[in-house]
Amino acid sequence: MYDKSSFSYQYNRIMAMRGMSQKELAAALNISSATTSRYATGAREPDIKTLVRIAEILHVSVDELLGVDVPEPVAPPQPPVDIATLTACYSRASEQDRDVLWSLLSRYMKPAEKAAITALREKKGQVG
């Protein structure tokens, strides 16, 4: 649920996180620094157009700026165990063993994947 203090809290938190001053935001919005200062103290709230523009400038949703349904940070998904194991083993393999692995995997690759791997390996000087 929204209340007036949640906007000023979120506004200040996001501004600090973005390293943006009230003066910089005021210039971007073409409004006075006094107005952005009032947003920070909670003495004033922006109209809907200004609210949307603030959210755009700060690269957040209006919901987040208002403190409504702020999502929890989500950790990136972990690869399945078999893929994580393959990746770990590949990183420890010798260049000669990597050549063998790529030759085995090449039959399963799409043409664009083959081209990307070939270019990457050529760039590293692994393919003659």
Side-chain angles (χ1 to χ4, degrees), residues 90 95 98 117-127:
Y90 178 83
E95 290 305 318
R98 288 180 182 190
I117 293 301
T118 300
L120 179 67
R121 300 192 77 227
E122 285 174 349
K123 185 177 179 181
K124 288 184 176 181
Q126 297 173 344
V127 173

Side-chain angles (χ1 to χ4, degrees), residues 25-97:
L25 182 62
L29 293 168
N30 200 26
I31 61 175
S32 72
S33 295
T35 300
T36 57
S37 177
R38 289 183 189 106
Y39 296 160
T41 62
R44 183 170 176 187
E45 294 177 301
D47 61 36
I48 191 68
K49 283 184 178 181
T50 305
L51 181 68
V52 169
R53 187 70 185 118
I54 292 170
E56 289 171 346
I57 291 167
L58 296 177
H59 304 290
V60 295
S61 68
V62 171
D63 281 353
E64 185 170 357
L65 189 55
L66 293 174
V68 178
D69 293 332
V70 177
E72 294 279 330
V74 177
Q78 296 298 314
V81 172
D82 58 339
I83 294 173
T85 302
L86 285 170
T87 304
C89 291
Y90 178 83
S91 69
R92 293 188 299 264
S94 69
E95 290 305 318
Q96 190 174 26
D97 288 343

